[in-house]
């Protein structure tokens, strides 16, 4: 079913502890805190140095922050309009924390580690050229996404996504996201083994703000992918934002892996670029 035009949702899909402005106002649901730690240490990511930096009382502190790749102006304004128009012609489904989503990918049960095609018919046609463009960057050479998730954030709904680590049983090393319509901030956080950052006797949680401009591509890999949780906080959604996140297969599903046959099947379907949202 095609949507004639974009309209903010009046219902939500929040479950459990998740909430948005809609269920907080209508049902009186209490909003969960962005962090459970009472002591927070805030840093800002500097792409040119690949470091996280802060100034405290005139003293600058920093540490190496590998695993973040930014490609500004990945698409033009015209291409952005075209992509969002195509997304809005498909139905958006209500999701957690005020988001709406469109899924293009296999049916997965992460708890039982089971995956099947389900109704998956491939990535959307609009992503074919985008994926080819991504592969021009050496870091993304050979990138073969098998799943695409479109997310719609709107300040009217209080949209956000809580700090989390993406699965690594099915999904591979590189997480790639194209961010559209407005600037935002990706907040990276970590509370374990902070001594590795060589910041002295730091306790609590360290947060690193990564500025993500409109129409930019961001890839997380290595430590940023596996050691640091990532989030988009409500305070950092000031206008409507749409993004597409692409995920590749883990080595278990690639040639030589235990499930390479299933992996090939998933890749063949994904790379047909004939998909519709599930």
């Amino acid at each position: 079913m095609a949507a004639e035009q974009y309209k903010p949702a009046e219902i939500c899909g929040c479950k459990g502890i998740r909430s948005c402005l809609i269920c907080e106002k209508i049902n009186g649901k209490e909003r969960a805190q962005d962090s459970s730690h009472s002591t927070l240490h805030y840093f800002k990511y500097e792409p040119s140095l690949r470091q996280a930096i802060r100034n405290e009382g005139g003293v600058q502190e920093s540490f190496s922050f590998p695993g973040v790749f930014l490609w500004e102006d990945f698409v033009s304004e015209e291409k952005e309009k075209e992509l969002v128009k195509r997304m809005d012609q498909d139905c958006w489904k209500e999701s957690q924390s005020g988001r709406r989503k469109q899924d293009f990918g296999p049916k997965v049960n992460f708890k039982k580690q089971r995956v099947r095609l389900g109704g998956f018919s491939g990535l959307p046609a609009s992503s074919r050229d985008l994926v080819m463009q991504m592969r021009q960057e050496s870091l993304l050479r050979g990138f073969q996404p098998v799943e695409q998730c479109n997310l719609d954030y709107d300040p009217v709904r209080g949209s956000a996504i809580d700090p989390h680590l993406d699965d690594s049983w099915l999904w591979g090393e590189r997480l790639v996201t194209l961010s559209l319509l407005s600037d935002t901030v990706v907040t990276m956080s970590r509370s374990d083994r902070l001594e590795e950052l060589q910041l002295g006797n730091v306790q609590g949680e360290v947060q690193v703000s990564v500025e993500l401009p409109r129409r930019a591509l961001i890839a997380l890999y290595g430590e940023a992918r596996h050691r640091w949780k990532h989030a988009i906080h409500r305070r950092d959604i000031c206008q409507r934002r749409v993004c597409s996140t692409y995920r590749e297969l883990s080595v278990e599903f690639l040639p030589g892996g235990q499930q390479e046959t299933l992996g090939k099947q998933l890749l063949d379907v994904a790379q047909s670029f004939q998909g519709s949202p599930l």
Side-chain angles (χ1 to χ4, degrees):
M1 182 183 299
E4 294 183 359
Q5 60 181 0
Y6 167 75
K7 294 180 180 179
E10 296 179 356
I11 58 175
C12 78
C14 298
K15 300 176 183 178
I17 64 171
R18 308 287 187 251
S19 70
C20 66
L21 285 176
I22 296 171
C23 59
E24 289 168 11
K25 290 180 179 179
I26 295 176
N27 302 324
K29 196 170 184 178
E30 185 175 350
R31 179 188 176 190
Q33 297 297 314
D34 290 337
S35 174
S36 60
H37 293 270
S38 58
T39 303
L40 300 175
H41 305 272
Y42 299 102
F43 288 75
K44 181 179 178 180
Y45 178 64
E46 176 49 61
S48 64
L49 301 175
R50 296 186 179 181
Q51 290 187 334
I53 300 173
R54 73 170 176 179
N55 284 285
E56 285 275 316
V59 178
Q60 180 172 290
E61 290 184 291
S62 64
F63 58 90
S64 177
F65 199 79
V68 177
F69 169 74
L70 288 171
W71 186 340
E72 295 191 23
D73 297 318
F74 181 77
V75 295
S76 66
E77 291 186 23
E78 285 302 312
K79 185 66 172 180
E80 176 187 51
K81 290 178 183 178
E82 175 189 327
L83 291 170
V84 175
K85 181 180 179 180
R86 289 186 182 183
M87 291 182 199
D88 285 341
Q89 288 172 345
D90 289 321
C91 285
W92 289 97
K93 293 184 178 181
E94 306 308 321
S95 187
Q96 299 271 40
S97 303
R99 303 186 306 277
R100 303 200 300 175
K101 67 179 181 178
Q102 296 172 343
D103 286 321
F104 301 82
K107 185 74 173 178
V108 185
N109 185 322
F110 289 106
K111 289 185 178 180
K112 296 182 179 180
Q113 292 195 342
R114 294 177 183 172
V115 57
R116 58 185 177 86
L117 274 176
F120 182 37
S121 55
L123 301 187
S126 57
S127 288
R128 184 190 295 271
D129 291 343
L130 298 176
V131 171
M132 291 181 64
Q133 183 178 344
M134 293 174 197
R135 292 172 182 161
Q136 295 176 14
E137 166 59 38
S138 59
L139 175 69
L140 299 177
R141 194 163 294 145
F143 184 63
Q144 297 187 86
V146 74
E147 194 246 20
Q148 176 177 334
C149 180
N150 297 337
L151 292 177
D152 175 29
Y153 294 75
D154 197 301
V156 173
R157 302 193 303 270
S159 303
I161 189 165
D162 291 342
H164 66 284
L165 290 171
D166 275 43
D167 164 80
S168 57
W169 159 69
L170 177 61
W171 306 138
E173 175 65 15
R174 297 164 292 190
L175 303 177
V176 181
T177 297
L178 176 59
S179 189
L180 304 171
L181 293 184
S182 63
D183 300 343
T184 192
V185 175
V186 179
T187 299
M188 313 292 293
S189 60
R190 177 175 165 181
S191 58
D192 68 309
R193 301 175 69 175
L194 297 182
E195 67 277 2
E196 295 178 355
L197 305 180
Q198 298 182 351
L199 294 172
N201 189 28
V202 169
Q203 297 181 348
E205 180 177 276
V206 173
Q207 294 188 358
V208 179
S209 297
V210 180
E211 294 183 354
L212 183 57
R214 174 182 179 177
R215 302 194 310 278
L217 188 84
I218 183 171
L220 301 180
Y221 61 97
E223 287 192 21
R225 157 81 164 96
H226 300 289
R227 299 291 301 278
W228 292 80
K229 294 180 179 180
H230 57 276
I232 303 282
H233 293 309
R234 184 183 294 181
R235 63 179 180 266
D236 294 317
I237 298 295
C238 302
Q239 301 177 52
R240 186 188 181 200
R241 171 186 180 254
V242 170
C243 70
S244 297
T245 294
Y246 300 85
R247 298 177 175 92
E248 62 184 345
L249 290 171
S250 68
V251 293
E252 182 173 338
F253 294 85
L254 296 178
Q258 293 183 353
Q259 302 199 56
E260 65 172 308
T261 301
L262 176 56
K264 183 180 185 305
Q265 183 183 18
L266 296 175
L267 275 172
D268 287 345
V269 173
Q271 299 299 301
S272 72
F273 293 100
Q274 298 177 356
S276 299
L278 301 170

